[in-house]
Amino acid sequence: MAIDVRQQAEQQPHTAAQPHEIRDVYQTTCCVVGGGPAGMLLSLLLARQGIQTTLLEAHADFDRDFRGDTIHPAIMTILDEIGLAQRLLDTVPHTKVHRILPPLPGPNPVAIDFSSVGGRFPYMTFMRQVEFLEFISAEARRHPAFQLVMGANVRELLESDGVVRGVRYQSADGWHEVQALLTVGADGRFSRMRQLSHLPPPIKTSPPMDILWFRLPKEPGDPEGIVGGFHMGRGLIMLERTDHWQLGYIMPKGTYQTLHAAGLDAFRQTIAGIQPWLAGRVHVLQDWKQCSLLAVESDRLPRWYRPGLLLIGDAAHVMSPVGGNGINYAVQDAAAAANILSRPLATGRITLRDLAAVQRRRDWPTRITQAIVNQIQDRVIGPAVRNSGRMGVPLPPGATFLLRVPLLQRLPLAWIAYGIWPVHLSPSVRVARG
Ligand SMILES: Cc1cc2nc3c(=O)[nH]c(=O)nc-3n(C[C@H](O)[C@H](O)[C@H](O)COP(=O)(O)OP(=O)(O)OC[C@H]3O[C@@H](n4cnc5c(N)ncnc54)[C@H](O)[C@@H]3O)c2cc1C
């Protein structure tokens, strides 16, 4: 179905009931809901080409703790394609992680080195998500076609003749309406746009664990990179940051209340039991408020679009944190959407086929990665958190072999670094026009 932006301006989009007093009505070409990694990057890529893009973000700022601070090589490559990667590294504080120490059983630790994946950015960059988003939004603001509204909580879709024609949002000063040729829902794992879309319900999986994130100080002589540890059925993933460790305590799903009831002292002892070299600093944890619970979820929508509306990022598929794919897949969705939709948006005509092409490009990579992660969760993490007597993660023999042979290590690393079938920006999207 083709929607013409000029016709649309003449029609009066409406919802079934209009109980709100609308302060103003704004027209744009693409209305992006949600200023996370997916929405922010898509908005930048469209605005660079002179396509009128309005980004609505519910929060007043981008500061959200423990939301994932990983920038994978695939993301750096996309940023490099528009000349931003080096500037990001030059201006925003970060750590480069070159190696992972997985928690394998046995006396000989295996260090997996990212340099084997090749490319210009053979490392994982850790950067506070707030600073990453502020960097991208500052870059987008240089383009007159970009409009960012903070504190804009999208509550309703505008629809007419079965076509989504924009949204209504609520901000501190009341209700506003944005009419758009295309609306993109990039509003994350609790997506309001998904709820409003009436798309078929998601296909869910049941990850066996939850994760509690917190920080501890870094000290001279500590190991480097990403360090994993398992002991008595509890796991700890440690991410090296500029001046501290970010730690994720892995526990069986739904057991946070039990952990909490046992008290902070017991939690501190558990951490020291998993990594004894942390024993001298666990006292820093004085309040549960220093921790942030991630209830691990994973799902994907069977269909990401309907006339006038596309969902991307977590709104289309919530990724488990295993492999740290969430931001990587969200950004690659945005890049694929920009590749496929820029021309239709620029000409003012967008078809259902265009929207379907975005899902087609990203659906299989998402499905395959979720299938790999499900296997890791079911065969490795599930047994590890249930099997409280074991030291180390009981990997199947094939996987242990894969991780111990340097040439074969490349496979899991390339999967983490680039995902399946990584997206590159098309030559026309790389050029700034507006
Ligand atoms: C605790 C935690 C830790 C994580 N750790 C990692 C990690 O280490 N590595 C990794 O790759 N991924 C991690 N993730 C997942 C990662 O954060 C997401 O996969 C990624 O941010 C998805 O990007 P997105 O742009 O699709 O959505 P989000 O980043 O969730 O952004 C959605 C945006 O939409 C806004 N929004 C929501 N509703 C509305 C509305 N109604 N109107 C307007 N705006 C709205 C939100 O405020 C938010 O800014 C983690 C997630 C959590 C919760």
Side-chain angles (χ1 to χ4, degrees), residues 33-39 56-59 64 66-70 72 129 152-154 186-189 192 213 294 312-314 324-328 330:
V33 179
L56 304 175
E57 166 55 47
H59 285 93
R64 286 153 284 154
F66 296 118
R67 287 299 302 275
D69 297 340
T70 44
H72 290 56
Q129 197 181 105
N153 189 355
V154 172
D187 52 339
R189 68 195 321 235
R192 172 94 181 154
W213 292 106
L294 170 62
I312 60 171
D314 274 15
N325 297 302
I327 298 170
N328 202 3

Side-chain angles (χ1 to χ4, degrees), residues 374-391:
N374 287 346
Q375 289 294 314
I376 297 173
Q377 288 175 167
D378 292 350
R379 290 167 185 264
V380 180
I381 298 173
V385 291
R386 281 192 296 270
N387 184 357
S388 57
R390 294 275 306 247
M391 302 278 286

Side-chain angles (χ1 to χ4, degrees), residues 142-162:
R142 292 152 53 109
H143 302 278
F146 177 73
Q147 190 203 22
L148 171 63
V149 188
M150 301 297 289
N153 189 355
V154 172
R155 305 281 300 274
E156 294 176 356
L157 289 182
L158 297 175
E159 296 178 62
S160 68
D161 304 327

Side-chain angles (χ1 to χ4, degrees), residues 65-103:
D65 215 4
F66 296 118
R67 287 299 302 275
D69 297 340
T70 44
I71 303 192
H72 290 56
I75 299 177
M76 292 304 290
T77 305
I78 288 170
L79 294 178
D80 198 37
E81 288 166 353
I82 50 172
L84 288 186
Q86 197 53 51
R87 185 134 47 93
L88 179 75
L89 294 175
D90 288 346
T91 54
V92 181
H94 62 275
T95 342
K96 287 179 186 152
V97 166
H98 293 269
R99 60 184 214 152
I100 304 180
L101 277 175

